[in-house]
Amino acid sequence: MRVLFKLALRNLLGAGLRTWLNVVVLSFAFVAIIWTQGLYRGMGRQAMQSLTDVEYGGGQYWHEQYDPFNALTLENAHGPVPEPLARLIEEGEATAVLVIQGTLYPQGRFLPVLIKGIDPDQSVLLFPSKFLKEGSGDGKEEEIPAVIGSRMARSCGLKVGDTVTLRWRDADGAFDARVIRIAHVMSTTVQSIDQGQVWLSLETLCSLAGMEHQATLVTLAKGKAFAAKIPGWSYQSLDLLLKDIHDVVRSKTLGATILYVILILLAMLAIFDTQVLSIFRRRKEMGTLMALGMTRLKLIQLFTLEGALHGVLAALVAAVYGIPLLTAFASTGWAMPQAVDSFGMAIGERIFPVYNAGLIMGTTVLVMLVTTVISFLPTRKIARLKPTDALRGKMT
């Protein structure tokens, strides 16, 4: 086998420019596959990390009538916090959120919003709830401090210190309104806590809406192992909450498969043509080798190994320029255009790709396997080759 390897490597390098052209094209396929896969992995990880930190925590309990995709359920989607969850909240292992519908009246316009209440002292989520403390009072005589997101601020034309009227319907169905003051405008990549939402202190919102000690959902702290069945409340695991992100990344990855197939087919076509041409032009060499005692099986192995070595050389060439390129890309990230902010993905201004050994090894094995199969296909003619015909330059 060592003799075959040395002979195959010598023949491959002896082909000169033809070999290196194939190797360079194949190396592009290596780098492109790893680059795009790492980019999608990084995008998914960044989105999931952001959602986990500021909204989902370690999972959530929803009121049985709560449906985030159906605003008609919000009227009745609240209830007293059950004792097991209340105990977790007291221990700082969970935080409650109350969600009701309301209307904001910025600059003479009206805008339907979701009014959400959260405990200003909570530490479960990376949310700027501390700004809801200042001057919250009883919500009657003072302007109520509120927190909104940067997207919400842009759409309403509001900034820190501005006052605006907020209206809602309380538990008895009566409309009420108060003036709120924008205490803080948060900058976040998570649109689901930003666009069309106004955040108030949980105690203040419960008092204004007549829903004392009630909540719509309870978010657990990250890493909290608690999934008890609680009547009237449904447990939403982190995997379930992040399912949409997993699906988006999976669809993007499958869509990129078209690019991979095109790149690999181009490289494989070049290698296939090279093998066919090599077998046709080296008929006398094959006849000589068979006359010297090389079996047909060994000859097939020789030509298959020559083709497979294209993949080995391509991996080495890809490592020469791919490792510095991908390392620099992973450290600096890919700047995203501002237009991506409207896509609904919780990604920041830059996406940092994620590469791991499994991705690199999987890509290498895939390309090596395909290269070997493509290299073997043209060599099947050698099985029917007669040494005397090969020495005369004929193919049978």
Side-chain angles (χ1 to χ4, degrees), residues 342-389:
S342 62
F343 289 177
M345 284 286 289
I347 54 179
E349 296 178 354
R350 287 184 175 273
I351 295 179
F352 293 90
V354 176
Y355 310 110
N356 54 37
L359 172 61
I360 297 174
M361 292 301 299
T363 303
T364 303
V365 170
L366 172 64
V367 175
M368 293 291 187
L369 180 61
V370 175
T371 303
T372 302
V373 173
I374 290 297
S375 302
F376 168 75
L377 294 179
T379 63
R380 292 176 298 175
K381 275 192 172 184
I382 299 176
R384 301 189 299 271
L385 181 64
K386 296 179 180 179
T388 51
D389 292 336

Tab-separated table of all heavy atoms in Angstrom, residues 342-389:
chain	number	residue	atom	x	y	z
A	342	SER	N	-35.553	44.513	10.731
A	342	SER	CA	-36.985	44.283	10.524
A	342	SER	C	-37.317	42.827	10.238
A	342	SER	O	-38.447	42.496	9.978
A	342	SER	CB	-37.476	45.155	9.349
A	342	SER	OG	-36.816	44.792	8.148
A	343	PHE	N	-36.336	41.945	10.276
A	343	PHE	CA	-36.567	40.550	9.938
A	343	PHE	C	-37.138	39.749	11.101
A	343	PHE	O	-37.579	38.635	10.924
A	343	PHE	CB	-35.274	39.878	9.469
A	343	PHE	CG	-34.807	40.341	8.121
A	343	PHE	CD1	-33.619	39.871	7.596
A	343	PHE	CD2	-35.548	41.233	7.380
A	343	PHE	CE1	-33.179	40.299	6.348
A	343	PHE	CE2	-35.122	41.670	6.142
A	343	PHE	CZ	-33.931	41.212	5.630
A	344	GLY	N	-37.060	40.293	12.329
A	344	GLY	CA	-37.613	39.602	13.481
A	344	GLY	C	-36.662	38.661	14.178
A	344	GLY	O	-37.031	37.998	15.138
A	345	MET	N	-35.402	38.584	13.721
A	345	MET	CA	-34.414	37.720	14.367
A	345	MET	C	-33.685	38.493	15.455
A	345	MET	O	-33.349	39.654	15.287
A	345	MET	CB	-33.406	37.212	13.326
A	345	MET	CG	-33.956	36.122	12.436
A	345	MET	SD	-34.086	34.552	13.309
A	345	MET	CE	-32.367	34.120	13.458
A	346	ALA	N	-33.431	37.827	16.577
A	346	ALA	CA	-32.733	38.472	17.696
A	346	ALA	C	-31.232	38.381	17.477
A	346	ALA	O	-30.513	37.647	18.151
A	346	ALA	CB	-33.125	37.799	19.014
A	347	ILE	N	-30.737	39.144	16.491
A	347	ILE	CA	-29.312	39.175	16.221
A	347	ILE	C	-28.831	40.607	16.321
A	347	ILE	O	-29.580	41.552	16.094
A	347	ILE	CB	-28.975	38.595	14.833
A	347	ILE	CG1	-29.792	39.295	13.738
A	347	ILE	CG2	-29.233	37.098	14.805
A	347	ILE	CD1	-29.497	38.792	12.348
A	348	GLY	N	-27.566	40.771	16.680
A	348	GLY	CA	-27.022	42.091	16.895
A	348	GLY	C	-26.483	42.716	15.626
A	348	GLY	O	-26.771	42.279	14.506
A	349	GLU	N	-25.664	43.753	15.824
A	349	GLU	CA	-25.095	44.459	14.691
A	349	GLU	C	-24.055	43.621	13.967
A	349	GLU	O	-23.732	43.886	12.807
A	349	GLU	CB	-24.469	45.771	15.165
A	349	GLU	CG	-25.488	46.750	15.755
A	349	GLU	CD	-24.827	48.016	16.253
A	349	GLU	OE1	-23.572	48.073	16.239
A	349	GLU	OE2	-25.547	48.953	16.639
A	350	ARG	N	-23.502	42.633	14.638
A	350	ARG	CA	-22.525	41.736	14.023
A	350	ARG	C	-22.858	40.288	14.359
A	350	ARG	O	-23.298	39.986	15.470
A	350	ARG	CB	-21.104	42.045	14.509
A	350	ARG	CG	-20.524	43.338	13.923
A	350	ARG	CD	-19.087	43.561	14.358
A	350	ARG	NE	-18.524	44.722	13.693
A	350	ARG	CZ	-17.929	44.686	12.506
A	350	ARG	NH1	-17.809	43.526	11.880
A	350	ARG	NH2	-17.446	45.778	11.956
A	351	ILE	N	-22.631	39.433	13.395
A	351	ILE	CA	-22.797	37.999	13.609
A	351	ILE	C	-21.410	37.378	13.705
A	351	ILE	O	-20.563	37.576	12.828
A	351	ILE	CB	-23.567	37.341	12.454
A	351	ILE	CG1	-25.000	37.875	12.404
A	351	ILE	CG2	-23.601	35.826	12.623
A	351	ILE	CD1	-25.811	37.283	11.273
A	352	PHE	N	-21.183	36.641	14.767
A	352	PHE	CA	-19.910	35.971	14.961
A	352	PHE	C	-20.099	34.474	14.689
A	352	PHE	O	-20.827	33.805	15.418
A	352	PHE	CB	-19.393	36.194	16.378
A	352	PHE	CG	-19.020	37.625	16.660
A	352	PHE	CD1	-19.968	38.518	17.157
A	352	PHE	CD2	-17.747	38.079	16.401
A	352	PHE	CE1	-19.642	39.835	17.406
A	352	PHE	CE2	-17.406	39.402	16.653
A	352	PHE	CZ	-18.347	40.280	17.143
A	353	PRO	N	-19.473	33.962	13.642
A	353	PRO	CA	-19.658	32.541	13.299
A	353	PRO	C	-19.080	31.633	14.372
A	353	PRO	O	-18.202	32.031	15.152
A	353	PRO	CB	-18.897	32.397	11.970
A	353	PRO	CG	-17.912	33.512	11.961
A	353	PRO	CD	-18.547	34.646	12.723
A	354	VAL	N	-19.579	30.417	14.396
A	354	VAL	CA	-19.143	29.416	15.367
A	354	VAL	C	-18.651	28.185	14.605
A	354	VAL	O	-19.397	27.589	13.818
A	354	VAL	CB	-20.296	29.024	16.311
A	354	VAL	CG1	-19.859	27.904	17.248
A	354	VAL	CG2	-20.764	30.234	17.105
A	355	TYR	N	-17.405	27.837	14.826
A	355	TYR	CA	-16.824	26.650	14.201
A	355	TYR	C	-16.453	25.655	15.299
A	355	TYR	O	-16.053	26.051	16.387
A	355	TYR	CB	-15.567	27.004	13.399
A	355	TYR	CG	-15.738	28.154	12.444
A	355	TYR	CD1	-15.114	29.378	12.667
A	355	TYR	CD2	-16.541	28.031	11.314
A	355	TYR	CE1	-15.272	30.436	11.798
A	355	TYR	CE2	-16.708	29.089	10.441
A	355	TYR	CZ	-16.075	30.292	10.698
A	355	TYR	OH	-16.241	31.347	9.834
A	356	ASN	N	-16.577	24.394	14.996
A	356	ASN	CA	-16.148	23.369	15.941
A	356	ASN	C	-15.545	22.196	15.182
A	356	ASN	O	-15.600	22.130	13.953
A	356	ASN	CB	-17.308	22.914	16.828
A	356	ASN	CG	-18.511	22.454	16.012
A	356	ASN	OD1	-18.368	21.839	14.962
A	356	ASN	ND2	-19.705	22.746	16.504
A	357	ALA	N	-14.960	21.280	15.943
A	357	ALA	CA	-14.270	20.145	15.323
A	357	ALA	C	-15.238	19.269	14.535
A	357	ALA	O	-14.885	18.738	13.481
A	357	ALA	CB	-13.568	19.319	16.402
A	358	GLY	N	-16.473	19.126	15.032
A	358	GLY	CA	-17.454	18.302	14.328
A	358	GLY	C	-17.771	18.842	12.955
A	358	GLY	O	-17.891	18.085	11.979
A	359	LEU	N	-17.922	20.169	12.848
A	359	LEU	CA	-18.210	20.787	11.560
A	359	LEU	C	-17.057	20.586	10.589
A	359	LEU	O	-17.262	20.213	9.425
A	359	LEU	CB	-18.480	22.285	11.761
A	359	LEU	CG	-18.613	23.142	10.495
A	359	LEU	CD1	-19.779	22.672	9.643
A	359	LEU	CD2	-18.772	24.616	10.868
A	360	ILE	N	-15.831	20.814	11.048
A	360	ILE	CA	-14.667	20.694	10.172
A	360	ILE	C	-14.445	19.247	9.757
A	360	ILE	O	-14.232	18.947	8.575
A	360	ILE	CB	-13.422	21.260	10.879
A	360	ILE	CG1	-13.618	22.763	11.141
A	360	ILE	CG2	-12.173	21.024	10.043
A	360	ILE	CD1	-12.519	23.388	11.964
A	361	MET	N	-14.525	18.327	10.719
A	361	MET	CA	-14.307	16.918	10.398
A	361	MET	C	-15.417	16.376	9.510
A	361	MET	O	-15.168	15.601	8.581
A	361	MET	CB	-14.212	16.093	11.683
A	361	MET	CG	-12.979	16.386	12.512
A	361	MET	SD	-11.448	16.077	11.594
A	361	MET	CE	-11.611	14.317	11.259
A	362	GLY	N	-16.658	16.779	9.769
A	362	GLY	CA	-17.767	16.326	8.938
A	362	GLY	C	-17.631	16.782	7.499
A	362	GLY	O	-17.873	16.010	6.561
A	363	THR	N	-17.231	18.054	7.315
A	363	THR	CA	-17.026	18.566	5.953
A	363	THR	C	-15.893	17.830	5.262
A	363	THR	O	-15.991	17.473	4.080
A	363	THR	CB	-16.714	20.072	6.007
A	363	THR	OG1	-17.778	20.749	6.679
A	363	THR	CG2	-16.559	20.638	4.615
A	364	THR	N	-14.804	17.589	5.989
A	364	THR	CA	-13.657	16.891	5.403
A	364	THR	C	-14.024	15.480	4.981
A	364	THR	O	-13.697	15.040	3.873
A	364	THR	CB	-12.500	16.851	6.418
A	364	THR	OG1	-12.161	18.185	6.804
A	364	THR	CG2	-11.283	16.178	5.812
A	365	VAL	N	-14.717	14.763	5.852
A	365	VAL	CA	-15.114	13.383	5.530
A	365	VAL	C	-16.048	13.357	4.322
A	365	VAL	O	-15.917	12.507	3.437
A	365	VAL	CB	-15.782	12.725	6.761
A	365	VAL	CG1	-16.407	11.389	6.370
A	365	VAL	CG2	-14.762	12.532	7.874
A	366	LEU	N	-16.996	14.309	4.278
A	366	LEU	CA	-17.935	14.360	3.152
A	366	LEU	C	-17.205	14.566	1.825
A	366	LEU	O	-17.443	13.838	0.851
A	366	LEU	CB	-18.939	15.490	3.380
A	366	LEU	CG	-19.872	15.813	2.211
A	366	LEU	CD1	-20.780	14.629	1.911
A	366	LEU	CD2	-20.700	17.068	2.490
A	367	VAL	N	-16.323	15.561	1.794
A	367	VAL	CA	-15.613	15.849	0.543
A	367	VAL	C	-14.691	14.696	0.164
A	367	VAL	O	-14.591	14.321	-1.011
A	367	VAL	CB	-14.823	17.165	0.678
A	367	VAL	CG1	-13.982	17.416	-0.565
A	367	VAL	CG2	-15.771	18.330	0.907
A	368	MET	N	-14.010	14.098	1.135
A	368	MET	CA	-13.134	12.956	0.856
A	368	MET	C	-13.915	11.782	0.292
A	368	MET	O	-13.486	11.113	-0.659
A	368	MET	CB	-12.417	12.528	2.142
A	368	MET	CG	-11.422	13.534	2.675
A	368	MET	SD	-9.984	13.705	1.620
A	368	MET	CE	-8.978	14.774	2.643
A	369	LEU	N	-15.075	11.512	0.873
A	369	LEU	CA	-15.886	10.387	0.422
A	369	LEU	C	-16.369	10.598	-1.007
A	369	LEU	O	-16.279	9.692	-1.852
A	369	LEU	CB	-17.071	10.203	1.374
A	369	LEU	CG	-18.037	9.060	1.064
A	369	LEU	CD1	-17.301	7.729	1.116
A	369	LEU	CD2	-19.217	9.059	2.031
A	370	VAL	N	-16.890	11.795	-1.284
A	370	VAL	CA	-17.379	12.081	-2.633
A	370	VAL	C	-16.239	12.032	-3.638
A	370	VAL	O	-16.386	11.503	-4.751
A	370	VAL	CB	-18.074	13.459	-2.651
A	370	VAL	CG1	-18.469	13.829	-4.079
A	370	VAL	CG2	-19.304	13.439	-1.766
A	371	THR	N	-15.081	12.570	-3.266
A	371	THR	CA	-13.924	12.558	-4.162
A	371	THR	C	-13.490	11.129	-4.479
A	371	THR	O	-13.172	10.801	-5.632
A	371	THR	CB	-12.757	13.325	-3.518
A	371	THR	OG1	-13.175	14.646	-3.206
A	371	THR	CG2	-11.572	13.398	-4.469
A	372	THR	N	-13.484	10.276	-3.478
A	372	THR	CA	-13.074	8.887	-3.682
A	372	THR	C	-14.039	8.156	-4.611
A	372	THR	O	-13.623	7.424	-5.515
A	372	THR	CB	-12.986	8.156	-2.334
A	372	THR	OG1	-12.069	8.846	-1.480
A	372	THR	CG2	-12.515	6.726	-2.520
A	373	VAL	N	-15.336	8.363	-4.402
A	373	VAL	CA	-16.337	7.696	-5.252
A	373	VAL	C	-16.222	8.176	-6.698
A	373	VAL	O	-16.244	7.366	-7.636
A	373	VAL	CB	-17.752	7.962	-4.702
A	373	VAL	CG1	-18.813	7.431	-5.672
A	373	VAL	CG2	-17.927	7.310	-3.342
A	374	ILE	N	-16.079	9.478	-6.886
A	374	ILE	CA	-15.958	10.026	-8.232
A	374	ILE	C	-14.679	9.525	-8.906
A	374	ILE	O	-14.653	9.284	-10.118
A	374	ILE	CB	-15.974	11.568	-8.179
A	374	ILE	CG1	-17.371	12.051	-7.807
A	374	ILE	CG2	-15.573	12.174	-9.514
A	374	ILE	CD1	-18.454	11.709	-8.805
A	375	SER	N	-13.629	9.361	-8.132
A	375	SER	CA	-12.364	8.866	-8.688
A	375	SER	C	-12.450	7.397	-9.075
A	375	SER	O	-11.772	6.941	-10.003
A	375	SER	CB	-11.237	9.069	-7.666
A	375	SER	OG	-11.113	10.427	-7.311
A	376	PHE	N	-13.294	6.648	-8.363
A	376	PHE	CA	-13.411	5.210	-8.639
A	376	PHE	C	-14.223	4.919	-9.906
A	376	PHE	O	-13.927	3.969	-10.637
A	376	PHE	CB	-14.048	4.514	-7.440
A	376	PHE	CG	-14.471	3.102	-7.709
A	376	PHE	CD1	-13.539	2.078	-7.800
A	376	PHE	CD2	-15.812	2.783	-7.893
A	376	PHE	CE1	-13.930	0.777	-8.052
A	376	PHE	CE2	-16.212	1.491	-8.154
A	376	PHE	CZ	-15.269	0.478	-8.232
A	377	LEU	N	-15.231	5.728	-10.179
A	377	LEU	CA	-16.152	5.417	-11.277
A	377	LEU	C	-15.455	5.236	-12.625
A	377	LEU	O	-15.745	4.256	-13.337
A	377	LEU	CB	-17.226	6.514	-11.368
A	377	LEU	CG	-18.185	6.599	-10.175
A	377	LEU	CD1	-19.175	7.737	-10.367
A	377	LEU	CD2	-18.934	5.282	-9.999
A	378	PRO	N	-14.538	6.120	-13.047
A	378	PRO	CA	-13.904	5.910	-14.362
A	378	PRO	C	-12.965	4.715	-14.405
A	378	PRO	O	-12.625	4.235	-15.499
A	378	PRO	CB	-13.123	7.217	-14.599
A	378	PRO	CG	-13.668	8.197	-13.623
A	378	PRO	CD	-14.106	7.389	-12.457
A	379	THR	N	-12.510	4.250	-13.237
A	379	THR	CA	-11.518	3.170	-13.222
A	379	THR	C	-12.140	1.804	-13.462
A	379	THR	O	-11.409	0.815	-13.568
A	379	THR	CB	-10.787	3.139	-11.866
A	379	THR	OG1	-11.725	2.836	-10.820
A	379	THR	CG2	-10.136	4.481	-11.580
A	380	ARG	N	-13.459	1.731	-13.570
A	380	ARG	CA	-14.094	0.421	-13.759
A	380	ARG	C	-13.713	-0.210	-15.090
A	380	ARG	O	-13.730	-1.432	-15.241
A	380	ARG	CB	-15.607	0.559	-13.659
A	380	ARG	CG	-16.107	0.906	-12.262
A	380	ARG	CD	-17.591	1.118	-12.245
A	380	ARG	NE	-17.981	2.236	-13.098
A	380	ARG	CZ	-19.247	2.578	-13.326
A	380	ARG	NH1	-20.228	1.883	-12.772
A	380	ARG	NH2	-19.514	3.613	-14.101
A	381	LYS	N	-13.328	0.626	-16.067
A	381	LYS	CA	-12.907	0.080	-17.361
A	381	LYS	C	-11.632	-0.754	-17.242
A	381	LYS	O	-11.386	-1.645	-18.049
A	381	LYS	CB	-12.672	1.215	-18.352
A	381	LYS	CG	-13.931	1.685	-19.068
A	381	LYS	CD	-13.575	2.586	-20.233
A	381	LYS	CE	-14.816	2.893	-21.068
A	381	LYS	NZ	-14.484	3.700	-22.263
A	382	ILE	N	-10.812	-0.412	-16.236
A	382	ILE	CA	-9.550	-1.132	-16.073
A	382	ILE	C	-9.799	-2.602	-15.776
A	382	ILE	O	-8.972	-3.470	-16.102
A	382	ILE	CB	-8.721	-0.476	-14.952
A	382	ILE	CG1	-8.409	0.978	-15.308
A	382	ILE	CG2	-7.424	-1.217	-14.697
A	382	ILE	CD1	-7.668	1.744	-14.227
A	383	ALA	N	-10.946	-2.942	-15.180
A	383	ALA	CA	-11.236	-4.339	-14.833
A	383	ALA	C	-11.322	-5.219	-16.072
A	383	ALA	O	-11.118	-6.434	-15.994
A	383	ALA	CB	-12.536	-4.418	-14.040
A	384	ARG	N	-11.640	-4.613	-17.222
A	384	ARG	CA	-11.754	-5.400	-18.467
A	384	ARG	C	-10.550	-5.198	-19.388
A	384	ARG	O	-10.570	-5.617	-20.536
A	384	ARG	CB	-13.027	-4.992	-19.207
A	384	ARG	CG	-14.299	-5.193	-18.400
A	384	ARG	CD	-15.543	-4.975	-19.253
A	384	ARG	NE	-15.597	-3.623	-19.780
A	384	ARG	CZ	-16.164	-2.594	-19.144
A	384	ARG	NH1	-16.715	-2.793	-17.952
A	384	ARG	NH2	-16.178	-1.391	-19.689
A	385	LEU	N	-9.526	-4.522	-18.882
A	385	LEU	CA	-8.365	-4.194	-19.713
A	385	LEU	C	-7.432	-5.394	-19.848
A	385	LEU	O	-7.102	-6.056	-18.865
A	385	LEU	CB	-7.612	-3.012	-19.082
A	385	LEU	CG	-6.385	-2.504	-19.831
A	385	LEU	CD1	-6.798	-1.931	-21.194
A	385	LEU	CD2	-5.655	-1.451	-19.007
A	386	LYS	N	-7.003	-5.666	-21.104
A	386	LYS	CA	-6.029	-6.715	-21.365
A	386	LYS	C	-4.650	-6.097	-21.500
A	386	LYS	O	-4.490	-5.076	-22.179
A	386	LYS	CB	-6.380	-7.466	-22.646
A	386	LYS	CG	-7.694	-8.220	-22.577
A	386	LYS	CD	-7.971	-8.928	-23.898
A	386	LYS	CE	-9.298	-9.688	-23.838
A	386	LYS	NZ	-9.599	-10.380	-25.129
A	387	PRO	N	-3.635	-6.673	-20.870
A	387	PRO	CA	-2.290	-6.089	-20.925
A	387	PRO	C	-1.787	-5.897	-22.358
A	387	PRO	O	-1.153	-4.893	-22.664
A	387	PRO	CB	-1.440	-7.093	-20.158
A	387	PRO	CG	-2.398	-7.800	-19.253
A	387	PRO	CD	-3.690	-7.872	-20.014
A	388	THR	N	-2.070	-6.859	-23.222
A	388	THR	CA	-1.549	-6.760	-24.615
A	388	THR	C	-2.195	-5.581	-25.344
A	388	THR	O	-1.517	-4.848	-26.085
A	388	THR	CB	-1.855	-8.045	-25.368
A	388	THR	OG1	-3.252	-8.358	-25.235
A	388	THR	CG2	-1.051	-9.203	-24.794
A	389	ASP	N	-3.512	-5.378	-25.115
A	389	ASP	CA	-4.178	-4.236	-25.744
A	389	ASP	C	-3.660	-2.936	-25.181
A	389	ASP	O	-3.499	-1.930	-25.905
A	389	ASP	CB	-5.688	-4.327	-25.530
A	389	ASP	CG	-6.302	-5.487	-26.301
A	389	ASP	OD1	-5.696	-5.922	-27.319
A	389	ASP	OD2	-7.379	-5.960	-25.897
